[in-house]
Amino acid sequence: MGFYSFIRDERLVAASLGLTTIGFLFAMRTILEYYRDEAEIKPTPPKTQYITQDTEDSLRLSTLESLLGHYNFAIRDTTLKIITGRAVNDSTTIYHLLWGITREDYEERMEALRALAFVMEDKDTFQEPFNVLNTSKGYSALVRSLELCISDVEHEKLDDPLYDEYRLRDIGERRCLMLVSGLVHRYDIDRLIEAGFIEKWLARQPWGDNDEERLKNFSMYLDRRKNRISDICFHLKTSKAGRNALVKARLITQSRGSKRDRADHIKVVLEISMTNEDDVDGTSRAELVPRVNDQTAEEQRLRRRHREAMVLNDGTHSLGRSDIIEREHDSNS
């Protein structure tokens, strides 16, 4: 009877119903969450795909042409890099562009120059793109293109020390000079000289009407201008062949006197400066001949000791009296 009375207790029945309700609710919540998660449509993450060399090589020209007109900038940029990489590694394409920049037709020449300049400026695709232009054909084509640019527009005389006309030059001429400047900074200048850059283009610039005016304006241009033309001319002057070509073009003068002559000249100046220290009455030039006939051995030793000096000059300025440091001596020695 005790067991039946226990299970009939109202408190036990209420506790059992409460626990059953809580368990049922927890089970229903768990089941609903499971079905909710299973029914959710999750977006599929995109797969990372890389364009390999085989993929690039498999693209046809018609496909690349259609990709160039794509609305996505990243796709257009990637397509340009693929085309640039093919052009740099294809000698036939480079020779075709070099042939194009030597055409007399202005539009055809500009199209070839734009393409060639774009290929040379893309350093991400090719480590050293200027290597394909470092040939005799490359230099000759650039010089020929510059020669054609002379007749495209009329140039004013280069005699204004304050006016830099480089930015107002024709875009084709500036592109050629950009390529030439890139070549002379990476390779030797001799190939550019052999291609006739000075005779065919530089000497034909309006430097002046006579030799004196040409020399003056060219020297002024190199001193006042900081552009690609002055930079290329600086490299030309560092080469012996370049200096000779500039002399023939009447742009600079031939330097006279050898190093030995200049050394002798400096020696004479030193002797005159030293004698001026001893004689201040205007008889210094007579002191170039040593006076040893009327002096004793002791007097000659003291005179030589008094004349000992050091000359310090770092080459940044011309030699002067302030560069001479004499040895100190007392009157009793």
Side-chain angles (χ1 to χ4, degrees):
M1 294 298 292
F3 177 74
Y4 287 105
S5 61
F6 174 74
I7 60 176
R8 289 179 179 178
D9 190 354
E10 294 179 356
R11 292 174 294 180
L12 178 63
V13 173
S16 299
L17 288 175
L19 292 176
T20 302
T21 304
I22 293 173
F24 177 77
L25 293 176
F26 181 77
M28 288 298 296
R29 179 179 176 84
T30 303
I31 294 172
L32 291 175
E33 288 180 351
Y34 173 78
Y35 278 105
R36 182 199 65 184
D37 295 339
E38 289 295 326
E40 182 182 1
I41 300 176
K42 298 179 180 181
T44 304
K47 296 182 180 180
T48 305
Q49 297 180 353
Y50 298 96
I51 299 179
T52 61
Q53 189 63 41
D54 295 335
T55 306
E56 292 183 8
D57 297 338
S58 63
L59 295 175
R60 299 180 179 179
L61 293 179
S62 57
T63 304
L64 293 175
E65 187 176 358
S66 61
L67 290 176
L68 286 176
H70 200 274
Y71 65 89
N72 193 321
F73 173 77
I75 294 178
R76 294 200 307 269
D77 185 61
T78 304
T79 306
L80 286 174
K81 290 184 177 181
I82 294 174
I83 296 175
T84 302
R86 287 188 181 184
V88 170
N89 294 284
D90 187 7
S91 58
T92 305
T93 304
I94 296 297
Y95 289 153
H96 179 73
L97 293 177
L98 292 177
W99 179 84
I101 67 175
T102 60
R103 299 301 90 198
E104 295 185 1
D105 183 68
Y106 183 82
E107 296 298 332
E108 183 180 0
R109 183 157 28 100
M110 289 302 105
E111 289 181 0
L113 274 173
R114 280 196 298 267
L116 189 61
F118 179 78
V119 170
M120 295 299 108
E121 289 179 348
D122 191 3
K123 298 181 180 179
D124 297 333
T125 305
F126 198 68
Q127 295 296 328
E128 190 53 55
F130 281 91
N131 189 34
V132 297
L133 292 182
N134 188 30
T135 60
S136 300
K137 292 183 178 179
Y139 284 98
S140 300
L142 290 173
V143 172
R144 173 57 180 167
S145 183
L146 284 171
E147 187 179 6
L148 293 173
C149 291
I150 297 177
S151 58
D152 290 338
V153 293
E154 184 178 355
H155 296 82
E156 298 181 357
K157 186 183 295 185
L158 305 175
D159 58 352
D160 192 341
L162 303 177
Y163 171 67
D164 190 358
E165 88 301 338
Y166 181 79
R167 294 296 178 183
L168 298 180
R169 286 179 176 266
D170 185 68
I171 183 63
E173 193 172 32
R174 283 190 283 134
R175 281 172 178 160
C176 289
L177 291 172
M178 179 196 69
L179 297 175
V180 172
S181 178
L183 287 170
V184 299
H185 277 87
R186 291 169 173 81
Y187 308 104
D188 194 12
I189 194 69
D190 292 337
R191 286 190 174 181
L192 182 64
I193 300 172
E194 293 173 357
F197 173 80
I198 298 177
E199 297 83 358
K200 297 180 180 179
W201 185 80
L202 187 62
R204 297 175 61 184
Q205 297 300 303
W207 300 110
D209 301 329
N210 51 61
D211 293 350
E212 182 180 358
E213 192 176 4
R214 288 170 62 86
L215 293 172
K216 177 183 176 182
N217 291 334
F218 184 75
S219 177
M220 178 272 299
Y221 195 92
L222 298 187
D223 293 338
R224 297 294 186 92
R225 301 291 188 272
K226 298 298 180 183
N227 52 40
R228 287 196 172 98
I229 299 177
S230 61
D231 183 58
I232 295 171
C233 292
F234 172 78
H235 284 80
L236 291 173
K237 294 181 69 174
T238 59
S239 171
K240 182 178 180 181
R243 292 193 299 271
N244 293 334
L246 289 173
V247 171
K248 292 181 180 179
R250 303 190 306 278
L251 295 177
I252 62 174
T253 57
Q254 182 70 41
S255 58
R256 298 178 180 179
S258 60
K259 293 183 178 180
R260 181 177 300 178
D261 297 336
R262 291 194 295 269
D264 295 340
H265 178 68
I266 294 174
K267 181 179 179 181
V268 171
V269 172
L270 286 176
E271 290 178 344
I272 293 174
S273 301
M274 293 301 299
T275 54
N276 285 337
E277 181 68 18
D278 293 336
D279 301 312
V280 295
D281 55 353
T283 60
S284 59
R285 295 188 179 274
E287 296 295 327
L288 294 177
V289 180
R291 297 179 297 178
V292 297
N293 296 329
D294 56 349
Q295 296 178 350
T296 63
E298 182 65 18
E299 290 175 348
Q300 293 178 19
R301 185 186 68 80
L302 290 176
R303 182 175 178 80
R304 283 195 298 268
R305 183 175 181 181
H306 292 172
R307 291 169 63 89
E308 289 179 356
M310 291 186 300
V311 180
L312 301 178
N313 190 305
D314 56 0
T316 59
H317 58 277
S318 58
L319 189 64
R321 184 64 186 86
S322 60
D323 299 325
I324 303 175
I325 303 176
E326 292 183 312
R327 174 180 176 178
E328 295 182 357
H329 58 276
D330 58 35
S331 58
N332 297 327
S333 59

